[in-house]
Amino acid sequence: MDRSASKGSVRASLALSAAVVWAVLSATVSAALPEDASGVTRTTAAARERACPIVYFDLGETLVHTADDGSTGYQPGAASYLRALRLRRIPVGLITNVPPSWGTTDAERAARLRQEVDATWRGPEPFAWKDFGDRVLTPRTEAERKPAPALWQRAKAGSGRCRVVYQAETAEEVRAASSLGFVPYQVGRPHRPAFLPVRLVELLGRRSPA
């Protein structure tokens, strides 16, 4: 096979893979949307007003990367992705393992986490801690550390009837979140968007999973 034909085959294969991924993602999100009596997905203003997705993330190697020298910075695309969610007023949170000894409350442990990350931060822009507010969930005991279900259960309980998304780099955590009713997405996989596309996040409705 000549080189140009080979390149064309590779491009076609990648395009097909991307199309398949987009179709699967779209189908997953569409399944979460409410339908009317005729089975037609509702996209009226009233339906959009009821949409309230909340996107939770793991932290290390999902949103931030720790280099060999111990410095930390954003994962590629993470800063712009958080910015896009912020512009659309989509709430975000963190579900991350830290030592329970870092504090007696989530707020105390989150403050210590921020100190640890900021102390080694080398990125051109600081980490967007304000975006997460009080939605930083950390283990109160060693038994609550992921992949134990406790942190996801707490996140879901605090989200009302909103759809909850969980994005992480490990298949184990993604599977665990999915089993607890989260819309899961494993980041950093080849031939897929780095993060769950914001357009699909916006489509997630308020209806609880079946």
Side-chain angles (χ1 to χ4, degrees), residues 39-53:
V40 177
T41 300
R42 289 181 292 172
T43 57
T44 63
R48 286 195 299 272
E49 287 173 1
R50 285 194 293 274
C52 58

Side-chain angles (χ1 to χ4, degrees), residues 149-170:
L151 298 182
W152 290 297
Q153 289 171 338
R154 287 168 56 197
K156 203 160 188 300
S159 299
R161 292 178 56 81
C162 294
R163 276 274 172 172
V164 280
V165 177
Y166 183 70
Q167 305 193 52
E169 85 284 4
T170 62

Side-chain angles (χ1 to χ4, degrees), residues 32-34 47 50-53 161-163 201-208:
L33 294 175
R50 285 194 293 274
C52 58
R161 292 178 56 81
C162 294
R163 276 274 172 172
V201 175
E202 287 186 297
L203 290 175
L204 290 170
R206 192 169 178 175
R207 190 182 68 176
S208 298

